Structures are given as structure tokens and as C-alpha cells.
């Protein structure tokens, strides 16, 4: 593969994971409206496909990767909070409970489109108002599905995870490599 991977994502976490793996990539931001309601896997797949399609139209023949990650509890999707009050409500709803983090990946390029999903169960610790105040004051909740970042201060909110940690960060590496094993040989 001579062309670099095109990452159709605004996520600094996805960029960091690709950099840690040594996979060369270029970022091209997709301009799409994301779906926010419905079954988590369906929503994530539709959003990932939409992002990949939007970028692949302008980069024919290149390998485009788009990812969408959603947080779901009891059939409800908790997206990126709009403000600190919504972040508090989201984290309070998730506190002491186990939710699903679902990521969908879509690759478009030579060989046609391919997609896959990954799911990780995450249990947040019971609500502690002081801990929640501390976390929210740091601002890390911004632009985070479910209002937390497991790889940052949000680790203090976590009670347990079952499944792929990189999925919770935003890019499930085992799923990505299953879709495109040659990425590590770029």
C-alpha cells in the first residue's frame, strides 16, 4: 500500500493510537450530520459509514478509516455533553452502573468497503459528588461520548471494564487490525 491511511475523524485519541502504533496517516475531517438515536451498534455503523463515504468521495483509491463511538445504557445513547450541566447528568446516570461502549469502524479503499464493530462493558464507580465536581472542573468531559475519558482523569470514575480498553479510548485496535492486517506494514 503506497498511499497513507486517511483518518476521517476529529478525535485526538484516535490520532494518538495510530501514532503509538506507528501507522502513517493523514487527517481529513468529514462534514456529516451524525445520528444520535437508535440501537447503539446501528447508530455507530451508520455514522462511521457516513463519515467514511464523505471523505472517500474526495480521496478515491485511498484507504479511508472512519470510526464512531457511542455510549449506551438501557437502550439510550449518551453522546457528547453540550455543557457541564449535561455532563453532570450523564455521569450521574452512568454512575454505579454498567454501560456499553460501542465503536464502529468503516474502511473504504482498494478491495471495497468493510465495516466491523467492537463493544466493551464499562462500570462506573458509585456517584461521589466530590469526585464528580473534581472531574467536571477539569473540563475533560468536553467532546467525549458519555462525558468521560478513560485514558485521562476519567480513569478515577471507572470501577471496571470488560473488553477492549482501546475501544473505550475511541479506536479498537484488535478490530482495526482484523479489518486491515496490512496497516502495520505501511
Amino acid at each position: 500500500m503506497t498511499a497513507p491511511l486517511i483518518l476521517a475523524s476529529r478525535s485526538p485519541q484516535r490520532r494518538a493510537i495510530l501514532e503509538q502504533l506507528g501507522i502513517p496517516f493523514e487527517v481529513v475531517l468529514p462534514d456529516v450530520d451524525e445520528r444520535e438515536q437508535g440501537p447503539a451498534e446501528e447508530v455507530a455503523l451508520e455514522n462511521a459509514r457516513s463519515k467514511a463515504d464523505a471523505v472517500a468521495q474526495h480521496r478515491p483509491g485511498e484507504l479511508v478509516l472512519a470510526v464512531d463511538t457511542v455510549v449506551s445504557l438501557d437502550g439510550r445513547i449518551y453522546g457528547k455533553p453540550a455543557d457541564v450541566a449535561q455532563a453532570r447528568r450523564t455521569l450521574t446516570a452512568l454512575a454505579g452502573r454498567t454501560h456499553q461502549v460501542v465503536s464502529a469502524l468503516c474502511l473504504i479503499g482498494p478491495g471495497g468497503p468493510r465495516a466491523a464493530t467492537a463493544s466493551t462493558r464499562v462500570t462506573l464507580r458509585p456517584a461521589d459528588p466530590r469526585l464528580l465536581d473534581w472531574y467536571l472542573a477539569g473540563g475533560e468531559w468536553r467532546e467525549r461520548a458519555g462525558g468521560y475519558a478513560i485514558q485521562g482523569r476519567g480513569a478515577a470514575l471507572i470501577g471496571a471494564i470488560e473488553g477492549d480498553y482501546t475501544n473505550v479510548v475511541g479506536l479498537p485496535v484488535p478490530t482495526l487490525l482484523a479489518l486491515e492486517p496490512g496497516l502495520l506494514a505501511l
Side-chain angles (χ1 to χ4, degrees):
M1 198 174 347
T2 59
L5 176 70
I6 307 299
L7 177 61
S9 176
R10 301 180 192 289
S11 168
Q13 294 74 34
R14 293 183 185 122
R15 294 176 196 174
I17 290 171
L18 290 174
E19 288 168 357
Q20 288 168 348
L21 293 172
I23 298 173
F25 66 96
E26 174 186 344
V27 174
V28 176
L29 301 179
D31 184 21
V32 298
D33 291 327
E34 293 186 36
R35 184 174 161 191
E36 297 177 358
Q37 294 182 357
E41 188 171 296
E42 183 181 302
V43 168
L45 274 167
E46 185 177 316
N47 288 340
R49 285 185 179 125
S50 178
K51 293 175 193 179
D53 285 339
V55 171
Q57 290 176 10
H58 303 290
R59 302 298 288 260
E62 295 188 65
L63 184 60
V64 175
L65 168 65
V67 184
D68 191 61
T69 301
V70 299
V71 169
S72 176
L73 176 66
D74 297 335
R76 178 178 175 187
I77 291 178
Y78 290 87
K80 298 172 185 172
D83 55 33
V84 71
Q86 186 177 18
R88 180 179 300 279
R89 287 191 301 274
T90 295
L91 292 171
T92 299
L94 299 175
R97 302 189 64 202
T98 300
H99 61 273
Q100 296 286 328
V101 177
V102 177
S103 291
L105 291 79
C106 183
L107 280 167
I108 296 178
R114 291 161 285 152
T117 61
S119 181
T120 304
R121 292 171 47 88
V122 178
T123 303
L124 292 192
R125 294 172 55 199
D128 175 338
R130 290 178 302 136
L131 178 62
L132 193 53
D133 288 345
W134 168 82
Y135 183 72
L136 293 169
E140 187 180 79
W141 55 268
R142 290 181 179 86
E143 292 299 311
R144 313 287 183 166
Y148 70 92
I150 194 170
Q151 73 280 10
R153 294 175 76 161
L157 304 174
I158 305 301
I161 69 168
E162 297 172 49
D164 178 15
Y165 170 83
T166 61
N167 178 44
V168 183
V169 177
L171 179 58
V173 172
T175 306
L176 174 62
L177 296 179
L179 276 179
E180 186 64 35
L183 280 176
L184 295 180
L186 283 176

